[in-house]
Amino acid sequence: MALSFPNRSRTFDETRKAVRFLAHDGMFEVPFFIESSALVEIDYPRTTAAECLIAFDAARSAIQEAAQYRYSNERRSVYLLTGDDLR
């Protein structure tokens, strides 16, 4: 089954320095994180939680595509997306 992203909420995890978001595979929640370093524009790192959340919202489609790709190629309990996943 393909992932769905019915809940648009996301949070910044200060410990991991990553944005956390959820997908669903049927009735199962699938947690994802994307590193703050993946939410970088040229010469302008996203350093604060607010900046990371804004960057996440701006790139939501690409991030969800990357999450779908990772999920279809490997099964894990938690997924961590990096900048390489967005290329």
Side-chain angles (χ1 to χ4, degrees), residues 13-60:
D13 185 312
E14 190 66 45
T15 303
R16 291 183 189 227
K17 300 291 185 211
V19 175
R20 182 179 192 273
F21 63 103
L22 293 173
H24 287 87
D25 183 354
M27 62 184 229
F28 298 104
E29 277 190 350
V30 183
F32 283 89
F33 290 89
I34 183 163
E35 294 177 334
S36 61
S37 61
L39 302 170
V40 172
E41 290 180 358
I42 307 272
D43 298 327
Y44 185 70
R46 304 296 183 168
T47 56
T48 69
E51 289 171 328
C52 287
L53 294 175
I54 290 167
F56 178 91
D57 291 340
R60 185 181 294 269

Side-chain angles (χ1 to χ4, degrees), residues 1 3 25 68 70-77 79:
M1 177 178 261
L3 284 181
D25 183 354
Q68 182 77 259
R70 281 285 300 278
Y71 184 76
S72 69
N73 288 311
E74 62 181 325
R75 295 289 193 242
R76 306 177 144 265
S77 58
Y79 294 85

Side-chain angles (χ1 to χ4, degrees), residues 57-69:
D57 291 340
R60 185 181 294 269
S61 295
I63 293 167
Q64 288 177 344
E65 285 178 30
Q68 182 77 259
Y69 181 79

